[in-house]
Amino acid sequence: MEVHLNPDLQARLTHLAAQQGRDTEALAREAIERLVDYDEWFIREVEKGLTQIEQGEVLTHEEVGARMERRLAEKQSHA
């Protein structure tokens, strides 16, 4: 597989790789792997959410607000 980058992105990749003491191919491979991992995770989470909706497992606007309030209060009490 070949990936063609525009000159600006290629220069940025080269600069970043040099800063990290790595070669551009390894850095690009790692970036692609992270993107694919993230996209797979995101799709799984969306599918879980859609399944929950289909099963009627949803929260009202008020329930979401109450959860947010509790979590914010917990974080503030730990600070």
Side-chain angles (χ1 to χ4, degrees):
M1 171 195 305
E2 285 186 41
V3 177
H4 300 281
L5 306 175
N6 67 47
D8 180 57
L9 185 55
Q10 178 66 50
R12 291 170 54 206
L13 178 63
T14 301
H15 179 73
L16 187 59
Q19 283 182 319
Q20 295 182 9
R22 302 173 66 193
D23 66 273
T24 56
E25 187 175 317
L27 194 59
R29 188 173 33 256
E30 182 181 312
I32 291 167
E33 184 176 350
R34 277 194 261 163
L35 173 68
V36 170
D37 288 347
Y38 174 81
D39 281 358
E40 288 174 340
W41 168 84
F42 185 81
I43 290 167
R44 281 192 312 272
E45 293 301 308
V46 168
E47 288 171 348
K48 278 193 237 177
L50 292 173
T51 299
Q52 289 174 328
I53 290 169
E54 289 171 1
Q55 295 173 351
E57 299 172 14
V58 296
L59 298 174
T60 65
H61 180 75
E62 291 75 20
E63 291 169 323
V64 171
R67 281 189 181 190
M68 297 281 293
E69 293 288 331
R70 280 194 306 273
R71 289 191 178 161
L72 288 172
E74 288 172 6
K75 286 189 182 270
Q76 289 175 350
S77 69
H78 289 30

